[in-house]
Amino acid sequence: MTPPKSAPTQPEASETDLGYQAAQAAYDAAQQDTNMVQIVAPDGSVVRPDLLPAPDIRLALYRQMRRARHFDERGWVLYRQGRLGVFPPFGGMEASQVGTAAALTKNDWLFPTYRDTGAALTLGLPIARTLAYWRTSPHGWHMPADLKVLPFYIPIATQYPQAVGAALAERRKGTRNVAMAFIGDGGSSEGDFHEALNFAGALNAPCVFILQNNGWAISVPTRTQTRATDLSRRADGYGIPGVRVDGNDALATYHVTAEAVDRARRGEGPTLIETVTYRVKPHTVADDPSRYRTEAELEGWDAKDPVLRLRTHLLQEGLMTEASEAELLAEIAAEFEAALQEADSYPDPTPAEILDHVFAEPTPQLRQQRAQILAEEQQ
């Protein structure tokens, strides 16, 4: 008797596939989460008309998102041309960065991670200075005197407790200024993250914490580095408000952040905001994401593009036309090329310049090191 044939076995899903599927499922599930704030759906339709910002704010947000997208796209080209160093792209996360930073003024503090170029540009960091930073030029090593933006943080989570310190300093000086710090989902598992939330909560610091949950900690999916599915709930352990928002909806991110900023200015303490988004780009321009995910896995995210979402909304509402958008894009392109020419005009750095922006007043050790470098140059 011939034994019955068994059904063909399906190949076992890899950890990478499971990681992507979990990220996709988490984002889609969040769309149905009544606790997640959303104003505009992925198709551009309005789901919360009562929360819509004023038309001028919506147009301003779109302009900043387009500026950020243009920088990200041109950055890739410049890197391939050897005219820009390694930098972490942020395309697809513009709503998360622009919508949050737009709630600040130039009197407030911004503590960005290495991926938050879009946030820094939104607050006012000049494009030429930003290009110089990613070229490792001394002209980008210090921030403008009229802007409280810290250099992009490479260490993970160290910016969070430092932001609390800046917020407390502002309160001690009697201002109503706030500090905003960014972090990723992976960084929220670091000790500094938890210490900062406890620090800020205990001392009622005027601080706004942005937690960008983009599904990946370099090549590690969120599901692997934590079993938590709602990272905004981490605020509960420290007695501060936690808000979850659609990180691909610029209007929603702006709304919840503006509320958190106003709350901090009133002396009501810190807020943790989780922006649910996705890192569609590689970890850096030098990263090879094909080692841990496939191009096919990214197909579903095109429909969730934050720039496309706001563009569709503005066109549907009659706040923007194809012609006015074309003028905007031409203006942004011209602005970038002028900034690029400025960055190209900066002189090459000298070895001693590496010591110029370490302390406001050089220490004796720095003076000694500078003298040694200058002496070696003359040999």
Side-chain angles (χ1 to χ4, degrees):
M1 181 176 179
T2 304
K5 294 182 178 180
S6 59
T9 59
Q10 296 295 324
E12 186 176 348
S14 68
E15 181 65 21
T16 297
D17 293 335
L18 292 175
Y20 170 78
Q21 293 165 9
Q24 177 85 301
Y27 185 91
D28 291 339
Q31 301 292 312
Q32 310 303 321
D33 182 0
T34 57
N35 294 321
M36 189 182 77
V37 180
Q38 184 185 81
I39 296 177
V40 175
D43 63 1
S45 61
V46 179
V47 294
R48 288 293 304 273
D50 56 314
L51 301 182
L52 274 176
D56 61 328
I57 294 177
R58 284 179 264 174
L59 288 169
L61 289 172
Y62 186 68
R63 180 180 186 278
Q64 293 293 353
M65 289 174 69
R66 277 296 188 182
R67 289 180 75 239
R69 176 66 62 88
H70 189 80
F71 185 99
D72 190 71
E73 292 175 344
R74 290 288 285 125
W76 277 89
V77 175
L78 293 173
Y79 169 73
R80 293 189 177 108
Q81 293 175 341
R83 301 170 67 191
L84 198 69
V86 172
F87 83 102
F90 53 90
M93 296 175 59
E94 293 89 352
S96 177
Q97 296 187 20
V98 171
T100 50
L104 300 177
T105 72
K106 285 194 174 183
N107 292 323
D108 299 314
W109 290 88
L110 180 66
F111 290 74
T113 74
Y114 50 79
R115 198 177 304 284
D116 300 318
T117 299
L121 292 173
T122 299
L123 193 59
L125 186 63
I127 294 175
R129 185 74 63 91
T130 310
L131 289 169
Y133 178 90
W134 291 116
R135 287 177 169 178
T136 67
S137 165
H139 300 282
W141 291 348
H142 62 288
M143 298 296 140
D146 64 341
L147 202 61
K148 297 176 179 177
V149 177
L150 275 289
F152 300 102
Y153 278 73
I154 305 303
I156 306 299
T158 56
Q159 67 274 17
Y160 256 44
Q162 293 171 11
V164 179
L168 292 173
E170 291 289 351
R171 188 176 70 187
R172 186 169 185 175
K173 291 191 298 184
T175 76
R176 299 180 72 247
N177 302 332
V178 306
M180 177 182 291
F182 284 76
I183 206 168
D185 47 291
S188 71
S189 293
E190 293 281 342
D192 280 348
F193 169 87
H194 297 273
E195 292 156 9
L197 262 61
N198 189 59
F199 188 23
L203 299 181
N204 205 44
C207 209
V208 179
F209 299 108
I210 307 299
L211 196 174
Q212 296 186 103
N213 183 355
N214 65 17
W216 294 94
I218 308 182
S219 60
V220 179
T222 305
R223 68 177 291 274
T224 300
Q225 61 97 6
T226 179
R227 292 191 65 178
T229 57
D230 182 346
L231 301 185
S232 69
R233 294 293 304 275
R234 292 188 165 175
D236 296 348
Y238 306 102
I240 68 174
V243 182
R244 199 170 199 227
V245 62
D246 185 344
N248 282 11
D249 180 356
L251 306 189
T253 56
Y254 173 80
H255 171 77
V256 300
T257 308
E259 283 193 334
V261 168
D262 288 344
R263 182 175 178 275
R265 295 199 201 285
R266 294 193 302 267
E268 297 177 16
T271 303
L272 173 66
I273 299 174
E274 178 194 4
T275 63
V276 182
T277 181
Y278 190 75
R279 199 198 80 208
V280 296
K281 298 293 183 71
H283 176 62
T284 71
V285 290
D287 178 34
D288 178 12
S290 65
R291 298 178 64 184
Y292 52 88
R293 67 186 190 191
T294 66
E295 287 296 323
E297 294 170 346
L298 302 177
E299 292 177 356
W301 292 96
D302 291 342
K304 303 179 178 71
D305 182 271
V307 174
L308 176 61
R309 181 186 306 200
L310 186 53
R311 178 182 188 273
T312 302
H313 166 74
L314 293 175
L315 291 173
Q316 290 176 351
E317 295 288 308
L319 298 177
M320 183 178 70
T321 64
E322 299 278 357
S324 65
E325 183 190 33
E327 293 178 3
L328 171 66
L329 297 180
E331 175 190 331
I332 290 171
E335 177 193 25
F336 185 92
E337 294 309 312
L340 179 59
Q341 289 184 14
E342 179 183 342
D344 287 343
S345 71
Y346 294 155
D348 292 335
T350 61
E353 286 184 87
I354 196 172
L355 305 175
D356 285 352
H357 304 292
V358 181
F359 291 102
E361 293 294 331
T363 64
Q365 293 86 352
L366 284 178
R367 291 193 181 97
Q368 181 181 2
Q369 291 169 14
R370 183 180 181 85
Q372 180 180 349
I373 291 175
L374 293 175
E376 290 175 354
E377 284 184 315
Q378 294 173 0
Q379 292 178 357

